[in-house]
């Protein structure tokens, strides 16, 4: 009797399972890693560097949220797809202490290095706009993964979890390209 393969072999993780996993992980990590300063075990010299890293991460997330807003303004049909991702990015900024509460000096020192700012123009083709958002998410996730090596405990864990979420966002934004 010949062996037959199933008619459809799954090629990888399903979008629904990635979204559910990312939402659950993001909520759990953000709940566990709040913006309160729980890094009591840090040394005195690294506190200032940690504060700058936290301020920069908040500013980066705020700027990324602005990118999402710009794309949504040009492509309102993408609202169902982008709104949950944008909401996560806003929560990331809040977890880093972002919003209007960030001090001006911390923001100034955080912006000394280039961050992904809102694009001058949003591409008129949806696929291109999604590709730019995915590239911004990927770039920021990579930068955060490198930065977590230079910050203490809780902030490093928060950077790692937000970097992972950014990588998932980039995947979800480009998922349709392979079909």
């Amino acid at each position: 009797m010949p062996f037959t393969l199933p008619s459809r072999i799954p090629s990888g993780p399903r979008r629904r399972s990635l979204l559910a996993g990312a939402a659950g992980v993001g909520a759990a990590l953000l709940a566990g890693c709040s913006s309160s300063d729980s890094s009591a075990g840090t040394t005195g010299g690294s506190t200032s560097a940690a504060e700058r890293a936290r301020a920069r991460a908040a500013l980066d997330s705020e700027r990324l949220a602005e990118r999402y807003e710009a794309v949504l303004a040009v492509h309102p049909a993408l609202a169902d797809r982008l709104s949950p991702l944008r909401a996560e990015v806003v929560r990331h900024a809040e977890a880093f202490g972002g919003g209007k509460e960030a001090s001006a000096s911390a923001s100034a020192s955080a912006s000394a290095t280039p961050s992904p700012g809102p694009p001058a123009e949003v591409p008129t083709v949806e696929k291109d706009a999604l590709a730019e958002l995915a590239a911004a998410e990927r770039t920021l996730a990579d930068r955060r993964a490198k930065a977590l090596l230079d910050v203490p405990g809780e902030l490093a864990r928060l950077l790692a979890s937000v970097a992972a979420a950014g990588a998932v966002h980039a995947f979800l934004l480009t998922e349709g390209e392979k079909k």
Side-chain angles (χ1 to χ4, degrees), residues 1-68:
M1 174 178 251
F3 177 75
T4 59
L5 292 174
S7 61
R8 184 172 185 269
I9 298 173
S11 60
R14 302 238 190 267
R15 180 178 183 187
R16 191 174 298 158
S17 63
L18 280 172
L19 280 173
V25 169
L29 289 173
L30 289 178
C33 300
S34 68
S35 63
S36 65
D37 215 2
S38 59
S39 54
T42 63
T43 61
S46 67
T47 302
S48 178
E51 289 173 3
R52 284 192 305 272
R54 183 180 292 275
R56 177 178 178 181
L59 183 62
D60 286 345
S61 290
E62 290 167 355
R63 288 184 176 169
L64 186 58
E66 290 172 5
R67 280 180 174 239
Y68 274 94

Side-chain angles (χ1 to χ4, degrees), residues 67-93:
R67 280 180 174 239
Y68 274 94
E69 290 171 9
V71 171
L72 285 168
V74 174
H75 301 288
L78 293 173
D80 287 344
R81 186 172 180 184
L82 297 184
S83 293
L85 300 178
R86 184 198 165 280
E88 285 293 316
V89 171
V90 169
R91 283 192 286 273
H92 296 161

Side-chain angles (χ1 to χ4, degrees), residues 92-156:
H92 296 161
E94 292 169 355
F96 287 118
K100 306 302 176 212
E101 300 165 352
S103 70
S105 63
S107 295
S109 65
S111 61
T113 53
S115 296
E121 291 183 30
V122 174
T124 56
V125 178
E126 283 183 5
K127 183 178 178 181
D128 294 341
L130 291 172
E132 281 190 5
L133 274 176
E137 285 275 15
R138 215 174 285 114
T139 300
L140 189 52
D142 290 346
R143 186 174 345 145
R144 286 178 171 161
K146 290 177 187 171
L148 70 89
L149 299 173
D150 299 325
V151 296
E154 287 301 314
L155 182 55

